[in-house]
C-alpha cells in the first residue's frame, strides 16, 4: 500500500520548478538563495540601469528582434569593446568592414602588434607579486558598448548557436551577412566552438539560467558570484591599491566573460589553477573601485605570444599571471 508523503510531494514540486516557470531573477533566488546577484548581472537584466543603451533585445510572440542602434556619421569609426579587446574599423576608403579580434581572455590567441599598442585591456595584466596595498597601476575599466540583454532560457534554447547555422541566425536577428554585427557574432560562435586549453573546461552560456547551472555543476555549492564595480566611467588613470585585498579562492573557480552577440552570451571556463581576489582601488581623481583580479598559476598551455606574456615580459608556465576583470565579467567562487 502506497502512503502519501507531504515531504515527498514538496520535493517533487521543487524539482518541477523549472526554467519555464521562473523568471531569471526567481531562478537565481531558487538556485542561489544565499548568493547576492553581482551588479554586472543586474545591469544586463535591467538595461535601464546602464548609462546608455546600444543593443536591445525584444522577445515577443512574433520572434526575436534586435535593435543595434546607429553608429557615428561620417569618417572612420574606431570602437574598443570592453572586455573583448575587439578593434573595429569602418568607413576606410575602399576597405569595407574589418574586424580584428584578439580576445585577451582567450588564452589560445596570439596578440597582434596593434592590440599590444592600442587595446585598453593591456593595462589589466600584472604579476601577483605587484598586488599589494600602496602599489599603483594605470588602468582603464572600459564599458562594453554591446549592451545585449539576456534571453529567457526557453527562448535561447530554441535558437541555434553554431557556425553551420549562421545564415539562419543572421536571418532571425535581421543581421546583414558580412556586416560588422555579423562578423562579431561569427567570431563569438567560432571562439565558443574551439576546444578548451589543457587543464580547463569551457562552456558558452546563452542564458543566465544556463550560466547558473554550469557554475553549480562545476563548483558544487557557490559561495560568491562577483564582478568589478567602478563608481563612474573614467579615462585611463592611475589607481592605487588600498588596504583590504581579499582572497576569495585559492584554486578552483569559474570565470565567465561577456561576449559580443545579439543577446547576452558568456564564455565560461572552469580552472583548478586560479586564485581570485577582490581588490579595493582608488583612482587619482578619487574614483573608487572594487576590482576582481584573477591569477592563473599555470599558464604552460597558453599561446606563447599571448598578450600577457608580451606585456609582462615573462614566459609561459614560469610565474602566475594576473588580470583585473572588465565590469561585465563574472567570477563564481565555491564554498
Amino acid at each position: 500500500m502506497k502512503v502519501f508523503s507531504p515531504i515527498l510531494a514538496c520535493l517533487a514540486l521543487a524539482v518541477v520548478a523549472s526554467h519555464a516557470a521562473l523568471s531569471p531573477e526567481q531562478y537565481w533566488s531558487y538556485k542561489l538563495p544565499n548568493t547576492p546577484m553581482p551588479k554586472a548581472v543586474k545591469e544586463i537584466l535591467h538595461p535601464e540601469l546602464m548609462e546608455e543603451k546600444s543593443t536591445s533585445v525584444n522577445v515577443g510572440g512574433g520572434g526575436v528582434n534586435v535593435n543595434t542602434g546607429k553608429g557615428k556619421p561620417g569618417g572612420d569609426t574606431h570602437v574598443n569593446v570592453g572586455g573583448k579587446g575587439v578593434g573595429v574599423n569602418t568607413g576606410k576608403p575602399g576597405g569595407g568592414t574589418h574586424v580584428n579580434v584578439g580576445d585577451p581572455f582567450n588564452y589560445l590567441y596570439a596578440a597582434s602588434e596593434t592590440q599590444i599598442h592600442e587595446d585598453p585591456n593591456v593595462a589589466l595584466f600584472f604579476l601577483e607579486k605587484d598586488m599589494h596595498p600602496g602599489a599603483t597601476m594605470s588602468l582603464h575599466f572600459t564599458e562594453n558598448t554591446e549592451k545585449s540583454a539576456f534571453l529567457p532560457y526557453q527562448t535561447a534554447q530554441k535558437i541555434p548557436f553554431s557556425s553551420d547555422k549562421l545564415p539562419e541566425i543572421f536571418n532571425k536577428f535581421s543581421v546583414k551577412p558580412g556586416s560588422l554585427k555579423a562578423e562579431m557574432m561569427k567570431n563569438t560562435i567560432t571562439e565558443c566552438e574551439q576546444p578548451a586549453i589543457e587543464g580547463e573546461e569551457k562552456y558558452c552560456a546563452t542564458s543566465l539560467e544556463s550560466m547558473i547551472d554550469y557554475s553549480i555543476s562545476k563548483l558544487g555549492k557557490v559561495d560568491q558570484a562577483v564582478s568589478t564595480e567602478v563608481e563612474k566611467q573614467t579615462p585611463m588613470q592611475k589607481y592605487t591599491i588600498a588596504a583590504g585585498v581579499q582572497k576569495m579562492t585559492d584554486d578552483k573557480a569559474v570565470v565567465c566573460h561577456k561576449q559580443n552577440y545579439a543577446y547576452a552570451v558568456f564564455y565560461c571556463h572552469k580552472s583548478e589553477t586560479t586564485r581570485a581576489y577582490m581588490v579595493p582601488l582608488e583612482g587619482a581623481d578619487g574614483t573608487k573601485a572594487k576590482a576582481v583580479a584573477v591569477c592563473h598559476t599555470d599558464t604552460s598551455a597558453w599561446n606563447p605570444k599571448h598578450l600577457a606574456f608580451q606585456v609582462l615580459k615573462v614566459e609561459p608556465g614560469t610565474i602566475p599571471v594576473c588580470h583585473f576583470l572588465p565590469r561585465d565579467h563574472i567570477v563564481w567562487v565555491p564554498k
Side-chain angles (χ1 to χ4, degrees):
M1 176 180 170
K2 292 184 178 179
V3 179
F4 175 77
S5 168
I7 296 175
L8 288 177
C10 289
L11 287 173
L13 284 172
V15 171
V16 171
S18 66
H19 303 281
L22 302 173
S23 70
E25 290 99 330
Q26 290 171 330
Y27 193 75
W28 181 288
S29 297
Y30 171 63
K31 300 290 281 190
L32 302 166
N34 301 313
T35 305
M37 184 180 285
K39 185 178 180 182
V41 172
K42 290 179 182 176
E43 288 186 340
I44 298 171
L45 287 171
H46 302 284
E48 68 274 10
L49 297 176
M50 301 178 183
E51 292 177 6
E52 62 181 75
K53 300 175 189 177
S54 165
T55 302
S56 61
V57 179
N58 301 308
V59 183
V64 183
N65 300 304
V66 177
N67 170 25
T68 56
K70 294 182 179 179
K72 295 177 182 177
D76 290 351
T77 302
H78 182 74
V79 183
N80 281 315
V81 184
K84 281 284 292 169
V86 179
V88 179
N89 293 288
T90 61
K92 278 188 170 182
T97 301
H98 174 65
V99 180
N100 175 32
V101 178
D103 183 355
F105 307 110
N106 182 329
Y107 309 117
L108 292 173
Y109 272 126
S112 66
E113 280 298 317
T114 302
Q115 187 179 11
I116 292 169
H117 296 294
E118 295 184 7
D119 190 342
N121 292 296
V122 165
L124 297 180
F125 288 94
F126 59 95
L127 298 178
E128 194 171 29
K129 67 181 180 64
D130 296 326
M131 185 172 52
H132 57 81
T136 59
M137 301 178 186
S138 292
L139 300 169
H140 184 202
F141 292 103
T142 57
E143 276 196 301
N144 195 325
T145 59
E146 290 291 306
K147 307 294 187 187
S148 47
F150 283 116
L151 289 185
Y153 174 82
Q154 294 290 348
T155 303
Q157 290 298 102
K158 295 174 184 175
I159 298 174
F161 188 80
S162 63
S163 53
D164 61 350
K165 298 285 187 181
L166 278 171
E168 182 182 341
I169 296 168
F170 292 156
N171 183 59
K172 181 174 285 290
F173 289 99
S174 302
V175 174
K176 183 181 177 182
S179 67
L180 181 88
K181 187 77 176 176
E183 289 302 303
M184 284 185 171
M185 291 172 67
K186 178 182 175 183
N187 285 325
T188 289
I189 290 179
T190 300
E191 192 170 304
C192 286
E193 290 177 339
Q194 288 179 337
I197 66 170
E198 187 179 343
E200 291 194 348
E201 298 174 48
K202 62 176 281 193
Y203 172 74
C204 281
T206 57
S207 67
L208 177 59
E209 293 92 330
S210 59
M211 181 163 55
I212 292 170
D213 290 347
Y214 176 77
S215 300
I216 292 174
S217 73
K218 297 302 172 187
L219 300 176
K221 291 185 177 179
V222 172
D223 183 37
Q224 298 180 73
V226 293
S227 60
T228 292
E229 296 184 17
V230 185
E231 279 184 338
K232 62 182 179 181
Q233 180 71 30
T234 66
M236 175 80 76
Q237 67 167 335
K238 191 165 286 186
Y239 281 88
T240 301
I241 297 179
V245 175
Q246 175 196 355
K247 183 188 287 186
M248 295 182 289
T249 181
D250 207 20
D251 48 18
K252 186 163 63 173
V254 169
V255 185
C256 294
H257 308 283
K258 181 94 176 331
Q259 304 296 288
N260 292 309
Y261 205 68
Y263 52 91
V265 171
F266 278 81
Y267 169 99
C268 299
H269 54 106
K270 175 227 175 183
S271 171
E272 301 275 355
T273 57
T274 297
R275 286 194 279 266
Y277 298 85
M278 182 62 78
V279 183
L281 299 167
E282 185 164 337
D285 67 350
T287 299
K288 292 183 178 178
K290 292 190 298 181
V292 178
V294 173
C295 295
H296 301 272
T297 57
D298 183 5
T299 59
S300 57
W302 291 23
N303 189 311
K305 293 189 179 296
H306 185 271
L307 183 65
F309 301 135
Q310 299 198 52
V311 170
L312 300 174
K313 311 297 184 189
V314 296
E315 299 292 325
T318 57
I319 188 171
V321 168
C322 305
H323 58 82
F324 289 115
L325 287 184
R327 295 157 66 173
D328 55 0
H329 295 201
I330 302 161
V331 171
W332 303 77
V333 178
K335 283 188 176 177

